Amino acid sequence: MCLGWAPVLIVSAAQFGGYADRALTAAFASDLQAQFALTDAQLGMLHGTAVIIPYAVGMVAASLWLKAERPFLLMALSVIGWTLAAAAFALATSQAGLFAARMMLGFTQAAFMPAALSILSVASHPPPSVAISALTTGSATGRSGGLLLGGALLLMATQLNVADLEPWRLASLAMVAPNLLLALALLAKSDVRAPYAASPAAGLGPTLRGMSRARLFHASYFLTAAAAIIVVQAEGAWAPTLLHRDYGLSVADSAMAVGLIVLFAAPLGHLGAGRVVAALRHRTAWPHGLILLGLAVALASALILLRASHLVVAMLALAGFSAGGGFAAAAALIGLQPVIPAEQRFVANTLFIGAVTLAGYGIGPWLTGILSDSLGHHELAVSLALVTAAAFAAAALASIVGRRSPLPAAGASPLAPGG
């Protein structure tokens, strides 16, 4: 299937919008803490856990009841759902309201990425690994875009007085219109159908049976990928707060600084992973290795951040952290596709993404917040370094235990349009 670049860019833009909505809590963290009396641990849960538990539940529901025969329609409905949730968050008046809106956001975003992968992984142009890396770049730049746009909108909103709404609420509501435009763009492609989506072998049962034949590989691969997402989400959630606390930047300036860093650094990692896999022509017998490479870069950057005494050094360290984490995250998603038959990728990806993201979002920001509360609010760099080191060690052990890929035995044609 020759999909072309235009649909890929639309999907990536929608992914950007979804992750920008997720990231806004990091941009407004200090304001949310002040208004709703949130502890660091509660804020960490709002960043991640409140979104990702419903996200994982939504993934399971999608694997049971949805089919990606018309993936663009499914993606459009998902965008509309999470836009309504983001608006509810902006209008929340209590801690319970904040958490309920974030839970709705996570649930409605669940089907988007598996639906996108069901069509991107079977396309002949652009190459699947490159198209998927463009999708994951949307994720990474969405996080940075959320911080950057959130900080910029926060500055603009402070100059306005609309219905006595706080600046962070106005900034959140400003994201609604672009999301709805993206939903319309996806609806325009709703007649595109994904091959193999209606195959009898595409259900949950056949997919689980197929994965169980290589259970050690899939378990180890899940642990390695989860470690990468833990690291990425820990940095994404807490980097603005670190710059605010340790280097004296304002809330808005720290959000925009981290947004700019990630905006330029993370795509280097994501797109780099896609190009490396394309150059290797998917002939790697140890797909864990590329994830470990990215995690090693992130760990080295975290150690530099720990020793940094100047703002410029800290920002360069965060850039290296973002690039390494982005490489690891994209490599994890790209590496899974060749070992899953094309007709089973929607279900396999819902299970994999749901479980990995649950671990990453649920553990990374929350654990970093707990360590920060325990060590002291000015020890965020130590907390990030500890989380990154533990994640790398766990990933390395899992990679060694389950390193053998089932790809040669399965006789699959990696990321090719038929399997």
Side-chain angles (χ1 to χ4, degrees):
M1 170 182 287
C2 184
L3 190 61
W5 270 108
V8 172
L9 293 177
I10 292 171
V11 172
S12 299
Q15 184 78 341
F16 174 97
Y19 273 74
D21 283 334
R22 288 191 196 182
L24 285 178
T25 55
F28 309 146
S30 296
D31 288 344
L32 292 172
Q33 279 190 305
Q35 183 166 345
F36 294 97
L38 299 170
T39 66
D40 275 1
Q42 287 176 319
L43 188 59
M45 291 183 68
L46 193 68
H47 286 324
T49 313
V51 175
I52 296 310
I53 291 178
Y55 184 79
V57 171
M59 286 285 187
V60 173
S63 70
L64 287 171
W65 295 307
L66 296 180
K67 291 184 179 179
E69 293 181 61
R70 298 174 68 186
F72 285 93
L73 176 61
L74 189 54
M75 286 185 275
L77 294 175
S78 182
V79 172
I80 293 170
W82 84 57
T83 301
L84 294 174
F89 177 83
L91 299 176
T93 58
S94 65
Q95 286 189 8
L98 290 178
F99 279 93
R102 294 289 283 177
M103 291 172 70
M104 181 181 172
L105 181 80
F107 186 82
T108 53
Q109 287 188 345
F112 184 88
M113 184 173 278
L117 289 169
S118 70
I119 192 71
L120 298 183
S121 66
V122 297
S124 59
H125 176 73
S129 64
V130 176
I132 293 171
S133 71
L135 174 69
T136 61
T137 298
S139 307
T141 55
R143 284 190 295 270
S144 63
L147 295 173
L148 184 59
L149 290 172
L153 291 170
L154 192 60
L155 286 176
M156 293 174 60
T158 57
Q159 308 300 318
L160 301 174
N161 184 14
V162 180
D164 293 326
L165 291 176
E166 294 87 346
W168 70 268
R169 296 185 191 275
L170 290 174
S172 298
L173 289 171
M175 301 291 288
V176 170
N179 282 349
L180 293 179
L181 290 175
L182 287 167
L184 291 175
L186 290 167
L187 284 172
K189 306 292 293 184
S190 61
D191 59 334
V192 175
R193 295 182 178 271
Y196 315 106
S199 168
L204 179 62
T207 302
L208 290 175
R209 286 192 292 273
M211 295 178 73
S212 69
R213 298 188 188 102
R215 61 178 65 90
L216 181 60
F217 168 82
H218 285 294
S220 70
Y221 197 77
F222 159 74
L223 290 173
T224 306
I229 306 304
I230 285 171
V231 167
V232 169
Q233 296 309 321
E235 187 223 12
W238 289 106
T241 306
L242 184 148
L243 293 183
H244 172 61
R245 290 180 182 173
D246 293 0
Y247 296 92
L249 272 67
S250 69
V251 174
D253 287 344
S254 61
M256 288 192 292
V258 174
L260 285 171
I261 291 168
V262 179
L263 187 64
F264 288 102
L268 296 177
H270 284 265
L271 296 175
R275 292 296 181 184
V276 167
V277 174
L280 292 173
R281 302 182 66 83
H282 323 291
R283 289 195 298 263
T284 176
W286 190 37
H288 308 65
L290 290 177
I291 305 175
L292 283 179
L293 176 61
L295 281 173
V297 174
L299 178 57
S301 301
L303 295 176
I304 294 172
L305 180 64
L306 183 62
R307 305 283 295 180
S309 58
H310 193 278
L311 177 60
V312 173
V313 177
M315 293 176 71
L316 289 173
L318 288 174
F321 202 123
S322 296
F327 188 98
L333 194 56
I334 293 169
L336 178 68
Q337 308 310 309
V339 299
I340 303 293
E343 64 272 15
Q344 295 178 355
R345 285 178 193 157
F346 177 76
V347 172
N349 281 315
T350 59
L351 299 175
F352 178 79
I353 296 169
V356 167
T357 309
L358 175 63
Y361 270 87
I363 295 175
W366 179 58
L367 181 57
T368 306
I370 289 176
L371 288 172
S372 176
D373 283 338
S374 300
L375 298 173
H377 286 190
H378 290 285
E379 298 295 342
L380 265 177
V382 177
S383 301
L384 282 171
L386 289 173
V387 169
T388 305
F392 179 81
L397 179 61
S399 298
I400 293 170
V401 170
R403 62 173 294 169
R404 185 172 181 180
S405 170
L407 181 58
S413 178
L415 288 181

